[in-house]
Amino acid sequence: MYNDLEKILFTEEQIQTRIKEIAAQIDKDYAGETPVVVGILKGCFMFFADLVRQMKTNIEIDFMSISSYGNNTKSSGEVKMIKDLDRTIEGRHVIIIEDIIDTGYTLKYLMTTLSARNPKSIKLCTLLDKKSRREVDISPDYVCFDVGDEFVVGYGLDYAQLYRNLPVIGVLKESVYKK
Ligand code: IMP
Ligand code: MG
């Protein structure tokens, strides 16, 4: 797997250090509350698990699954729900956990869909933010790391469903997807 990486952007240690900071910030912001932490599958799975285990606030967890790009490295702008939440979020504080915000279409769709259910609040937490590629107006409340316009994999993020189990985040070699 490591042979397919152009370079490593964030090591396991860097990721965990940053996650502790973000968890502390969220704990501070939600003191005395019991937010519903919503993970967007599958990309969030490692980040979600590491983040919530650093949080000291009482939380409930739930998951949604949203269709991504198939095997492409660029967003189609088309978003489809594969799995909805199990429970209602009406009157609840909601924190959405994403792996990466690219064009922003996925989150725009999610924010619109979830806002319509009358939660008390919705905030957005993302592992990575690819700001330069944004096409719609979405700005996350918590960001672990900014990344440039490069295709990244690992720590939950995939290319064609591979590399999710890499413990680091790295840039995928172009030769891997330009065959
Ligand atoms: P958006 O709708 O364009 O913001 O795309 C968000 C989704 O695209 C993420 O949840 C990822 O699944 C996927 N994605 C975007 N950029 C990357 C990347 O560099 N590596 C892996 N997946 C990505
Ligand atoms: Mg994906």
Side-chain angles (χ1 to χ4, degrees):
M1 281 195 297
Y2 282 92
N3 289 338
D4 292 341
L5 295 183
E6 178 79 48
K7 62 182 175 207
I8 291 173
L9 291 178
F10 307 107
T11 63
E12 288 184 72
E13 204 184 348
Q14 286 173 314
I15 295 168
Q16 296 309 322
T17 300
R18 185 68 184 128
I19 284 177
K20 280 182 191 145
E21 292 170 3
I22 297 286
Q25 184 66 52
I26 296 175
D27 277 337
K28 204 168 138 233
D29 294 349
Y30 290 86
E33 306 285 353
T34 306
V36 183
V37 184
V38 172
I40 310 306
L41 296 172
K42 304 172 200 155
C44 79
F45 83 103
M46 269 196 203
F47 176 46
F48 188 99
D50 285 343
L51 180 73
V52 299
R53 102 179 77 189
Q54 293 299 334
M55 287 172 58
K56 299 186 175 56
T57 310
N58 267 323
I59 59 163
E60 288 179 28
I61 66 167
D62 208 337
F63 295 95
M64 281 177 105
S65 184
I66 303 292
S67 74
S68 61
Y69 318 162
N71 287 354
N72 256 319
T73 58
K74 298 280 164 179
S75 181
S76 61
E78 262 178 61
V79 180
K80 204 174 84 193
M81 196 189 300
I82 310 290
K83 182 214 169 288
D84 202 344
L85 297 174
D86 292 336
R87 313 230 359 223
T88 173
I89 51 163
E90 190 170 348
R92 303 295 303 272
H93 291 294
V94 174
I95 309 172
I96 299 176
I97 310 292
E98 250 290 29
D99 54 353
I100 185 166
I101 310 178
D102 185 27
T103 61
Y105 284 115
T106 306
L107 277 163
K108 186 89 189 171
Y109 166 85
L110 275 170
M111 294 297 264
T112 309
T113 306
L114 297 184
S115 298
R117 301 179 188 180
N118 300 316
K120 199 165 186 181
S121 70
I122 302 189
K123 279 194 183 176
L124 228 156
C125 173
T126 188
L127 173 66
L128 303 174
D129 192 358
K130 224 191 248 186
K131 271 201 199 89
S132 62
R133 297 214 348 117
R134 203 61 44 80
E135 288 176 24
V136 291
D137 183 25
I138 282 285
S139 43
D141 301 281
Y142 308 99
V143 178
C144 282
F145 304 106
D146 287 314
V147 289
D149 186 5
E150 296 173 302
F151 198 80
V152 296
V153 294
Y155 195 67
L157 290 114
D158 73 306
Y159 168 66
Q161 300 304 326
L162 298 176
Y163 311 106
R164 291 196 198 274
N165 60 323
L166 269 173
V168 301
I169 298 169
V171 177
L172 192 62
K173 280 183 186 160
E174 277 200 14
S175 59
V176 175
Y177 54 89
K178 288 204 172 144
K179 267 183 228 159

